[in-house]
Structures are given as C-alpha cells and as structure tokens.
Amino acid sequence: MNERIKRLREKMAEEKLSAYIITSYENYRYFSGFTGSNCALVILKDDCFALTDGRYDIQIREQAPGFSHVIISRSMHEHIAELIPCGARVGYETHTITDFMLRNIKSQSENSEFVPCPDFGEEIRAVKDDGEISAIHRAVNCSDEALAALIPQITRGMTERQAAALLEYEMAKRGSEKAAFSTIAASGLHSALPHAEPQNNEIADNSLFTLDFGATINGYCSDITRTLIIGNPARELQELWELVFDVQQKCIQRVTPGMRASELDEYQRSLFAEHGMEKHVMHSLGHGVGLAIHEAPTVSRRSDTILQKNMVITIEPGLYIENLGGVRIEDTVLVTADGAEVLTKAPHRINIKL
Amino acid sequence: MNERIKRLREKMAEEKLSAYIITSYENYRYFSGFTGSNCALVILKDDCFALTDGRYDIQIREQAPGFSHVIISRSMHEHIAELIPCGARVGYETHTITDFMLRNIKSQSENSEFVPCPDFGEEIRAVKDDGEISAIHRAVNCSDEALAALIPQITRGMTERQAAALLEYEMAKRGSEKAAFSTIAASGLHSALPHAEPQNNEIADNSLFTLDFGATINGYCSDITRTLIIGNPARELQELWELVFDVQQKCIQRVTPGMRASELDEYQRSLFAEHGMEKHVMHSLGHGVGLAIHEAPTVSRRSDTILQKNMVITIEPGLYIENLGGVRIEDTVLVTADGAEVLTKAPHRINIKL
C-alpha cells in the first residue's frame, strides 16, 4: 500500500469513515498516479478503486497499477454508488464534488451516511516529498530559463500577447507539459489589473511590464512574476517597484517553519502601511504550489495554517494603482528546517531597452 | 436588458424561479461578459448581480457594465446568500456548483427553496448567434493555419512534445488566446490511446501520428484532429485510416437540422460494425463546441438532443487498437438550415516524409 493512501486512511480513521470518495483532478492524480481527465477514486479500508471511461482503458492500467480498475459503462455516480458498502460512513470532497454527483450517489446509497469533509488530499499534499520538490524545482528552473530566453527577444512593437505566446513556447521547448495557468502579460496602465489577460496592444516604452507565468513538470507547477522595467518609467512607478521589491525580500526573510501563514500576510500589509500604500494591496501574499497552481497553504490574513518544512509557497506582494500601473514580484519558495529556500533564481530587476 | 438574460429569465419563469445562481465560468462569461477567474452571478426578476474579488475590481466594471457589481469581502457564499430575497424559489447549476458552496448558501437562506436545475446556460449556449459563430470560425481558421505552418517543420527526431509545443505556439502567434485544451500528440503505438499526453519519444517513421488540438478566440474554441501518415505505414494502419476517413465523411453528410444527435452516433457505429470494427470505438462521435471545448449538444448514443440550425458540433470518429495504433479524424461543423457547413478547412490526408 502506498504511503499516501496510508495517510489518507489515517484521516479516514480519525473521522470514522469506512469509505472516501475522491473526485478532484489533483487528488486522484496524487493518490493513484492516473493523469487522464475523467476519474474518481473510492477508497475503502481494504481496497482502492479507480474509475474512468473507455478512452482511458489502457492508460489507467499503466498508471494506477495498485488500484482495482472500473471502466464505467453508465454514469460515474452509479458506479461509485455500487462500490459503497451498505451502511458505510462515507466521506467526500465537499469543496470540489458537484451537487449533481453527490445527490445522485446519495440517492443510490440510501443506507449509508454521507459526511462532507475538508479536502484531506489537499491537506496531505501541502507538505511535499522529495520527488515532488524535485519536480517543482525543475518546473521553476524551466520558467526561469524561459524568461531568460524571452528577454533578448523583447523588441519594440511586440504585443503583450506575443510576449505571452513566446514565453509559453520557450517553456514548452524546455519540457514544460503545459503552462501552469494562462500567462499574464500586462504593460503600462494595464498592469494595474492584477490578473490582466494579454491583449494585442504593444509593450509600452518608459513603463512597467508585468509577466506572471509558470511551467508544469510531471504535473507540478512553478509560479513566478516579474515586473520588467521598460526604458525609463516615471519616478512614481520606479518607486512603486522598489517598494514592492523591498517588501517581497523582507517577507521571504521572515519565512520560518512554525509560524502562522497569516502572520506573513499581516507583515506585508504592515510594511505597505508604513508608506500609506495598504489600500493598493488587492490580494493576499501567496499560496501553496504543487499539482495545483493554487493549493494549501493559503498565505492570507484568514489562513490558520502553521508553516511546515517542505511546504512550497509563493511570496508575491503587489501594488495596483488605477490610471498609473502596478507591480508584482513573485518567487516560489520552499520552507526549510530553519527558514526558506528561494527556488526561483531569475533576477528580480530586469531593465529592457526597446 | 440583454437578449441572453431575457432567455434565461424565460427559463426561470417556466420553473417559477425568482432567483437563479450562476457559478460556472462559461455561463458567467456568456451572460455577463466578465472573463476573470472568480465570479458568480445572481439573476433576479428585476436585477442582475455580478460578484468577484478585489483583484478584478476594475475589470468587472469594464466588462460587465449592465450588472450591479459586488466586490466580495468575505466568502462568496455569504454574499450570494445576502442577495437572495427572503422566501425566494432559487434555481442553481447542479452540474457545476460544489456541495460546499450550495450547502453554505442554503444554510444562510433558510426561508428560501432551492431547486437543482439542468444547466440552463449550456442549453441556451447550444445554439450560437452570429458573433459566436464568427469567433468559432476564426478559432477554426487559426488552428487550420497553425497546422499548415507545423507540417513543413516536422522532421526526423522531433518528439511528440516538441510538435505539440510548436503547434500551440503557431496558434498563439496567430491570435489564439490559449490552447483550447492540452494538445494531444500521439505517435505509433501511442496513438492507440485516444487521449494520449505528448511524451518525449520521437515521432516514429512508417507509422501514424495523431494531433488533436484547438485554438481560442474571444473565448471560443475550435477542435480539430488529424492523423498524419508518416512515411509508409503497414497496410493494416493505412486501411484503418481510410475506414475512419470514410466514416467521418459519411457522418458529416448525414448531419441535418431536426435529426436526433443520437442517430449520428448510431450511424457511425453501424458503419464500423459493417467492418467488424465496432469494438474498437471508444468514444462517442462528437460534442458541441463554444466557450467550452465540450458542451451541449452531446453527439452520443445517449443524447436526446435534436440538432438545430446554428449548433456547432465536432464529428470525430476514431478507432483504437492496442499494440497496433489508432486513427481519429475530426472537423468542427456548423449545422445549417439544410445540412452542415464544415468550418475546418485543413486537408484530411496529410503525408509526411521524415
């Protein structure tokens, strides 16, 4: 039995569950190894089932050899319900399972009790093992190298969208399975939108240009943001950049196992407040990265997570000022036994002459 | 009031709903125009609310001007619950809303009645308007042109993954916002997996090479599959290719408004059965394409949809034989007043000499 399933069964035992249904992509991949797009797992005390459809008949046998395989011939929920023992106490992933799936499983398992559970899979995934850290490290290197390859290709007349396309291609050439998320490329005033979609407008001179992107290796993501300094931006923008960079570095130095993640977010806000800039903070400081681009732990004011060794998080403070522009600087960071290792190696300060 | 909301309110009236909650990406984008990653809509008889978080404060005002905007400061479900009038009969998207979201909205709206609904948004989206057809057409042209650009670049030693990366880049260069889904690139024996992920293995000579990919323009997807003939494959593979191509063309000729989608799927199976190949059919004939890469109508045996003018569907028969290889050929097709217009213009028969 694999170590991950063992940890899941410990959580099942704590909640007195005799069955647990997994429906989210990252969790079925994490526990079974199966990478196809349609799957559910049913974990019992003494058996593990992996269900998929006929498209993946060969693939699931290759990727999830430790599981009993079910190739569904009717709706997924019917097959799941059939695997649940009569009278079971059944946990499920309340944050991701759909109402439709759950109602239908319940209606066909009338003698069982259903218990909404926090995302046990995500909780277990928050602390990474060596293989996972290695995959994330490779994904980080891949996005770092892609950025280095992009920089000399940025020329006058290039659009946000062209830059994003080229960056994603440079990652793919270096082994990224796919962009970890849709690349954000935002120039000039557009950079005041924290999650701007790339447009067909040209990269503005004497301005800031924010790129937020990530690679995927073996399913594991990296996440990096750089705000490039194009030409000679207005002093106000340059000061904004320096402030965000300073706060980002201070936050990274604060990372320690045993601290509350919420403290880190409060810390960035207090640093920005010293400059009267707190009202321009539009998102929390960071988030865990792994099979999902956003996963536990959340690094926000509302987080109750205690940071632990081998968690991987982003540190990404940002300031956004409408009709002026924005800055965000983000590294992917491994929590170590006594602090943090910054996995991202790309330089922070990148000056471009168009 | 926009025409789309009007149609939604007609469906609400049929079900005697006084409120309707929209939580799926494609639907909130379709009804509001908002393209950010976090949103819900609450549609009442006389008001429409669009909710998002602080990252999208500027963007939602720009993109969804007809809506009342709520920038959430607590959990999304709390804000949704506050907008629901006391005693309302509330419809929701049972196929996409999570159990967590729904349970929490319900627990804070105790005097309201909640009604699981089929996906009204997806039903309305199944028949496209002119602007949508134009966007899909542009996405189809984009993927066609990207394929034409890729073909001369395929050379000995290129891996599946390199081909997929290059194809996605060629789409992005031509304006695709993102790949409509992760490109499938499967060479040789690997092509027997209908949904194979690209690997680092080289494209095999004297073999088949399947590429399944799509572009996105204004959020609208294209979907195309070509099985390329590399060198001089075994006669068995060439016959497989000819059979799938023949079935694909016959299915397209059968498309007529007013027919059941299920008839089309039964037709492909009957054609393959004439050659004793039905057991190698691993998926249904096709699916609708629009804001989602897979949406209504399903073109499967179980579909109860009647095809209508201005539906856009894929026709993509495939055969998959373990330890031999597979073939799939797919076009994106517009249902017209009296038949079908094949939007995809890429040639079907593509021979490559490595």
Side-chain angles (χ1 to χ4, degrees), chain B residues 119-172:
Chain B
D119 194 325
F120 290 152
E122 192 181 4
E123 289 175 10
I124 294 170
R125 282 161 38 214
V127 176
K128 271 67 179 174
D129 64 29
D130 290 348
E132 295 181 283
I133 292 167
S134 165
I136 294 169
H137 216 140
R138 287 169 58 205
V140 167
N141 290 343
C142 178
S143 44
D144 281 357
E145 289 165 17
L147 178 62
L150 172 71
I151 288 169
Q153 299 182 72
I154 295 178
T155 50
R156 191 172 297 277
M158 176 177 275
T159 65
E160 291 175 352
R161 197 172 276 169
Q162 285 168 342
L166 195 49
L167 199 44
E168 293 188 2
Y169 180 50
E170 294 292 352
M171 290 194 289

Side-chain angles (χ1 to χ4, degrees), chain A residues 255-321:
Chain A
V255 174
T256 320
M259 80 185 295
R260 303 187 85 81
S262 57
E263 271 179 60
L264 270 180
D265 189 77
E266 294 291 0
Y267 181 56
Q268 71 142 340
R269 289 171 199 272
S270 71
L271 291 171
F272 283 129
E274 287 173 17
H275 296 80
M277 295 302 252
E278 200 192 356
K279 64 178 177 294
H280 299 296
V281 174
M282 290 193 187
H283 55 75
S284 52
L285 182 65
H287 53 84
V289 180
L291 285 169
I293 184 64
H294 293 119
E295 61 178 40
T298 308
V299 186
S300 76
R301 284 182 287 191
R302 283 178 280 187
S303 173
D304 55 6
T305 306
I306 306 289
L307 293 183
Q308 290 178 59
K309 184 186 166 190
N310 290 347
M311 286 182 167
V312 177
I313 58 174
T314 67
I315 300 290
E316 50 173 313
L319 291 176
Y320 309 91
I321 305 181

Side-chain angles (χ1 to χ4, degrees), chain B residues 42-347:
Chain B
V42 177
I43 311 297
L44 306 178
K45 286 179 179 170
D46 52 5
D47 209 348
C48 296
F49 294 91
L51 302 83
T52 187
D53 63 67
R55 293 175 301 172
Y56 296 113
D57 190 358
I58 300 173
Q59 187 175 337
I60 201 161
R61 285 182 270 142
E62 287 179 0
Q63 293 184 325
F67 280 69
S68 305
H69 305 125
V70 178
I71 304 301
I72 64 173
S73 54
R74 288 156 288 133
S75 297
M76 181 66 90
H77 55 78
E78 292 179 57
H79 289 274
I80 292 174
E82 285 171 8
L83 294 172
I84 293 175
C86 188
R89 185 172 149 88
V90 186
Y92 63 88
E93 301 179 318
T94 181
H95 286 89
T96 45
I97 199 168
T98 65
D99 174 66
F100 178 81
M101 177 74 88
L102 181 65
R103 277 193 299 109
N104 280 284
I105 296 171
K106 278 183 177 176
S107 74
Q108 290 164 63
S109 317
E110 290 184 355
N111 295 312
S112 295
E113 179 190 1
F114 285 81
V115 183
C117 291
D119 194 325
F120 290 152
E122 192 181 4
E123 289 175 10
I124 294 170
R125 282 161 38 214
V127 176
K128 271 67 179 174
D129 64 29
D130 290 348
E132 295 181 283
I133 292 167
S134 165
I136 294 169
H137 216 140
R138 287 169 58 205
V140 167
N141 290 343
C142 178
S143 44
D144 281 357
E145 289 165 17
L147 178 62
L150 172 71
I151 288 169
Q153 299 182 72
I154 295 178
T155 50
R156 191 172 297 277
M158 176 177 275
T159 65
E160 291 175 352
R161 197 172 276 169
Q162 285 168 342
L166 195 49
L167 199 44
E168 293 188 2
Y169 180 50
E170 294 292 352
M171 290 194 289
K173 278 203 287 188
R174 288 164 177 79
S176 174
E177 292 140 21
K178 58 177 180 177
F181 54 93
S182 282
T183 295
I184 293 166
S187 166
L189 296 183
H190 198 200
S191 62
L193 300 175
H195 277 218
E197 295 158 45
Q199 305 293 333
N200 286 324
N201 49 301
E202 294 181 5
I203 298 165
D205 202 1
N206 300 319
S207 185
L208 299 177
F209 180 41
T210 296
L211 290 166
D212 186 353
F213 59 102
T216 310
I217 301 285
N218 289 347
Y220 285 82
C221 303
S222 63
D223 196 356
I224 171 174
T225 307
R226 289 293 180 265
T227 296
L228 281 55
I229 300 158
I230 311 289
N232 188 26
R235 175 181 290 191
E236 203 175 353
L237 289 169
Q238 303 214 26
E239 287 173 356
L240 204 64
W241 192 97
E242 297 294 343
L243 176 58
V244 171
F245 178 53
D246 184 58
V247 168
Q248 200 247 4
Q249 293 295 303
K250 284 180 173 151
C251 288
I252 289 174
Q253 286 154 21
R254 249 321 158 85
V255 174
T256 320
M259 81 185 295
R260 303 186 85 82
S262 57
E263 269 179 60
L264 270 180
D265 189 77
E266 293 291 1
Y267 182 56
Q268 71 141 342
R269 289 172 199 269
S270 71
L271 291 171
F272 283 129
E274 287 172 16
H275 297 79
M277 295 303 254
E278 201 193 354
K279 63 179 179 293
H280 299 296
V281 175
M282 289 194 187
H283 54 74
S284 52
L285 182 64
H287 54 84
V289 180
L291 285 169
I293 184 64
H294 293 118
E295 61 180 40
T298 308
V299 186
S300 76
R301 284 181 288 190
R302 282 178 281 186
S303 173
D304 54 7
T305 306
I306 306 289
L307 293 184
Q308 290 177 61
K309 184 186 166 189
N310 290 347
M311 286 181 166
V312 177
I313 59 174
T314 67
I315 300 290
E316 51 173 311
L319 291 175
Y320 310 91
I321 305 180
E322 198 170 351
N323 298 320
L324 178 68
V327 176
R328 180 168 63 257
I329 299 175
E330 172 186 39
D331 289 327
T332 300
V333 166
L334 172 68
V335 182
T336 61
D338 55 1
E341 179 189 347
V342 181
L343 302 182
T344 310
K345 298 292 181 239

Side-chain angles (χ1 to χ4, degrees), chain A residues 164-186:
Chain A
L166 195 48
L167 199 43
E168 293 189 2
Y169 180 50
E170 294 292 351
M171 291 194 288
K173 279 203 287 189
R174 288 164 177 78
S176 174
E177 292 140 20
K178 58 177 180 177
F181 53 95
S182 282
T183 295
I184 293 167

Side-chain angles (χ1 to χ4, degrees), chain A residues 11-85:
Chain A
K11 287 193 179 269
M12 287 171 62
E14 283 168 23
E15 302 294 328
K16 301 186 172 50
L17 302 173
S18 49
Y20 188 71
I21 301 168
I22 292 177
T23 47
S24 79
Y25 175 81
E26 289 81 8
N27 286 336
Y28 70 65
R29 178 168 182 158
Y30 181 78
F31 288 108
S32 77
F34 177 65
T35 62
S37 66
N38 184 23
C39 180
L41 306 180
V42 177
I43 311 298
L44 306 178
K45 287 179 179 170
D46 52 5
D47 209 347
C48 297
F49 293 91
L51 301 84
T52 187
D53 63 67
R55 293 174 301 172
Y56 295 114
D57 190 358
I58 300 173
Q59 187 175 336
I60 201 162
R61 285 181 270 142
E62 286 179 2
Q63 293 185 325
F67 280 68
S68 304
H69 305 124
V70 178
I71 304 301
I72 65 173
S73 54
R74 288 156 288 133
S75 298
M76 182 66 90
H77 55 78
E78 292 180 57
H79 289 273
I80 293 174
E82 284 171 9
L83 294 171
I84 293 174

